[in-house]
Each structure stands twice: as C-alpha cells, then as structure tokens.
Amino acid sequence: MRAQATEFLRALRRHRESGASGASGAAAPGGGTGASAPGRAAPPADDVDAVRALRRAARRISGTLHTFQPLLDASWAEEMRPELAWLSGTLALEHAYASRLERLLQALHRLSGSAAFPAPRPVGRAAATVPAGVPAPARPASPDRGSLTVGAAKAGALLDRQLTLARTRAHSTALQALGSSRFHAVADKVALLASEVPLRATGRPDRGPAPAASASGPGTAPFDLRPLAAAAEERLTDAVTALPLVAAGSPYNAQALVHGLSPDPAPHPQDAPWHQVRLLLRLHRYALEALAGADTGNTGDTGDTEAAVDVRLLAAGEALDRHRDASEAAAAAAQAARTPRIAPATAYALGVLHADQRHEVEAARYAFQHSWRKEPIRLP
C-alpha cells in the first residue's frame, strides 16, 4: 500500500507539471476545470500517462483496502475506499468511451470492408499529437470489397456523435474532479498513507490466527496476510464455480445470443456474473502482489511482485477484459439503435454490429474457461 501510495503521489506530481503548460492542468491548485475548446492543443502524452497512473494506483490501493480491511483502522478504511472508487471510476470514463468508439468503428470496418465513416479519435499517447477539434483522417476504403453501405456509414456517424459527446463530458467531469476539494482531500490522505499505514489499534484483525508472517512498515507488529489473501481467492473460486463454463465451452454460444435480442434496454442479464468474476480476479491478483511484497520486505519495488503473478491469472484477466469491452460495446450499439427516427438501414447495421460484439463476448468467455482450466504456471 505504501508503494502504491508513493506511485500515486509521483503520478500526481507528473500531472501537475504537465498540466501547468497544457490544457488539462486542473489538478494544479487554481487550475481551470473546463473542457478543451476547439483548436486548443490536446493534453501532452505525459499528462495522459500521469492520469492513467493515478487511476491505476487508486484502483490498487482500493483493492488492497477491500481485501485487508480487517487489519486496518476501520473508520479510515471505510472512508477511504469509496473515495478511491469515485476517483478511479471518474478518471476511467474518458478512456472507456474513446476505446469503445474505436472498437465499434473497427468492427464496422471489418464487417463492411470499407471505412467511409468517421475514423476513431486517437486514444492515449497518440491523442497528444493531434490537436483537439481537428478531424481525424478517414481511412482508405478497401479496393476489393466495394464501398460501404449507406446504413453502415450512418451507423458509424451516429456512434461517433454519441460516444464523442460522452467522451467530452467525461473529460470535463475528470477535469472538475481533479480540481475539486474532494480530490485534494483524497490526495492528502494518500500522502499520509505513503509514510504510515493506519493499522488497527490492536495491531490484529478481529478474528483469525495469531499474527505471524509479514510487516506493514517500520515499527509495526508483524501479522499474517495469508488468511485474508486466501479468503479473496476463495471468493474468486466460488464465483467462477457459479459461472456456466460448460456453455462457455463453445467459442460461439448461439443459445446465449438469443438473450441479446430482447428489447429490454437494461444491461445483458448474463454479463453481471462475469463482470463480478473480473473484479474478484483483480482483487486476488492484488492480494498475491501484497504477499509477494511482504515476502521481499515491502521495499516498494514492484518488479519482483509482478514477476510472481500466475500466468494463468494474467490470461484469464485479459479474457475478462475483452469480455467487458465487448459487452459494453454491444450495449452502446443497442443504445444507438434506439435513437428515434433513424433509417431502417442504419438500424440494421447497428443490429449486425450488436450481434458481432455479442459473439465477441461469447468468444471471450470461451477464452476465459480455456485459460482458467489450465494448470497454474508461474513466471520465472
């Protein structure tokens, strides 16, 4: 936790330094909170990387708090966790909308064989080199597939308008959050965490065996992290056991795709358990990293910690990330298809796009069960 808090503060300093001369300097005291105006330079690459590092550190601290909360000061942990979840969630929205748009437009390009629709906005480091307000160049059409149909072209334009607007709003929200007193309060608490982890007054959890294995910092009594890490692994195992892995044994489960044809605008009912497994898998990985950090003396060097991660968990996590991305992309295509007064050809193209993404969901589930059932392999 101290290492992640230090990483958080390092990313915050990078963000303030890059924001002093860029358009997204809202994290600096007194910085502006408005969205970039047309023609204004996009945030520099260092700022984009700094925000990503902020989000990553906040997510890891929050996950560690969730797993090892019985060892920590109760009031501090209960107050800190929702604030870190708010911060990481707010900072993730802009990148999520941009990635979703890019994914959908690439799928349209793949399905139609042409790209006569708006090209996706650059994401991450590439966005730093393209001024805001300058339209992205259109991709050349495939010479051997013919021109894009009118329905797919209008579907791409509709998705571009909707998701670009959502991304702009998410960008403004992130700027406001990074300039708010709420964020500065979180940063102050993380700064204290970097120097000392607030443990319980007794130095022990409410229940469990006598302390035995690891230390959280200089001058603190050692206690065992393994029972809480084992509990996190047990929750993950139970959640995976409840998944329909037999149905996921086929790369494209047509029976599950029938549910995607429902007119219900709510999220796909089958996706929630898989999203929950993704979160539990992440918590399990963080717990393993905490154990590895304790075994190496908690020096703050994350190299050895990451090397101890199970290769099977990495592959399973990547599959669940693809599952999440495809599920949200399918929901975005379905939402666009509900736009009033769109042409039938546009609605048809969006329906084909939705079905394509639901097939990607099923393929990701197949990849997950294929990875999960392998024997654990450790990186050297």
Side-chain angles (χ1 to χ4, degrees):
M1 288 180 63
R2 294 174 59 199
Q4 293 301 327
T6 302
E7 188 65 26
F8 182 97
L9 297 176
R10 185 181 297 115
L12 178 59
R13 183 172 61 251
R14 288 172 53 197
H15 175 74
R16 287 175 170 172
E17 290 174 353
S18 61
S21 57
S24 58
T33 59
S36 298
R40 186 181 298 177
D46 287 344
D47 184 71
V48 174
D49 292 341
V51 171
R52 184 183 296 111
L54 273 174
R55 185 176 73 244
R56 178 179 180 272
R59 187 176 64 237
R60 286 176 175 269
I61 296 173
S62 177
T64 306
L65 286 177
H66 182 276
T67 302
F68 300 105
Q69 184 170 353
L71 302 176
L72 305 169
D73 180 80
S75 59
W76 177 85
E78 291 175 359
E79 182 181 359
M80 192 68 170
R81 275 185 55 201
E83 295 301 295
L84 290 171
W86 159 77
L87 177 61
S88 60
T90 301
L91 297 181
L93 283 177
E94 180 183 1
H95 177 76
Y97 284 124
S99 299
R100 198 170 306 157
L101 175 60
E102 182 178 17
R103 180 186 186 90
L104 288 170
L105 294 186
Q106 287 179 349
L108 275 176
H109 171 65
R110 183 183 71 252
L111 294 169
S112 64
S114 182
F117 45 81
R121 277 20 177 209
V123 181
R125 185 179 297 274
T129 61
V130 180
V134 176
R139 298 171 181 171
S142 302
D144 57 341
R145 295 290 298 274
S147 61
L148 185 67
T149 64
V150 175
K154 291 185 177 180
L158 177 60
L159 289 168
D160 182 72
R161 288 195 304 270
Q162 292 184 348
L163 292 177
T164 299
L165 177 60
R167 179 187 179 183
T168 301
R169 290 174 175 171
H171 179 72
S172 299
T173 301
L175 290 179
Q176 293 172 1
L178 291 175
S180 66
S181 59
R182 183 179 182 182
F183 169 75
H184 289 295
V186 174
D188 291 341
K189 293 177 182 178
V190 173
L192 295 177
L193 178 62
S195 59
E196 182 179 2
V197 178
L199 304 173
R200 284 187 179 273
T202 60
R204 290 185 55 185
D206 291 337
R207 61 184 183 277
S214 61
S216 293
T220 61
F223 44 83
D224 199 352
L225 303 180
R226 290 170 295 183
L228 297 175
E233 182 178 8
E234 183 178 356
R235 289 191 294 269
L236 170 64
T237 303
D238 292 343
V240 173
T241 302
L243 291 176
L245 291 185
V246 175
S250 172
Y252 296 100
N253 181 16
Q255 183 178 3
L257 294 176
V258 173
H259 297 281
L261 302 177
S262 171
D264 186 3
H268 199 279
Q270 289 190 348
D271 292 344
W274 295 85
H275 295 331
Q276 180 66 15
V277 168
R278 176 178 171 271
L279 295 177
L280 292 175
L281 178 61
R282 176 181 291 173
L283 292 177
H284 174 51
R285 286 180 53 199
Y286 294 166
L288 292 180
E289 292 174 1
L291 290 179
D295 292 340
T296 57
N298 197 19
T299 60
D301 185 5
T302 60
D304 294 337
T305 300
E306 294 178 354
V309 174
D310 192 338
V311 175
R312 183 187 63 154
L313 296 182
L314 292 176
E318 291 176 356
L320 291 177
D321 287 342
R322 294 195 301 271
H323 177 277
R324 187 270 319 269
D325 293 341
S327 173
E328 293 179 347
Q335 181 64 31
R338 299 186 187 98
T339 303
R341 298 183 298 277
I342 61 174
T346 305
Y348 172 77
L350 290 170
V352 172
L353 182 60
H354 174 269
D356 173 76
Q357 293 304 301
R358 291 309 307 180
H359 277 293
E360 294 292 337
V361 167
E362 296 305 319
R365 292 178 182 179
Y366 172 79
F368 170 79
Q369 68 87 25
H370 186 69
S371 301
W372 184 259
R373 291 179 172 177
K374 288 183 177 179
E375 291 296 326
I377 301 175
R378 298 283 178 175
L379 289 171

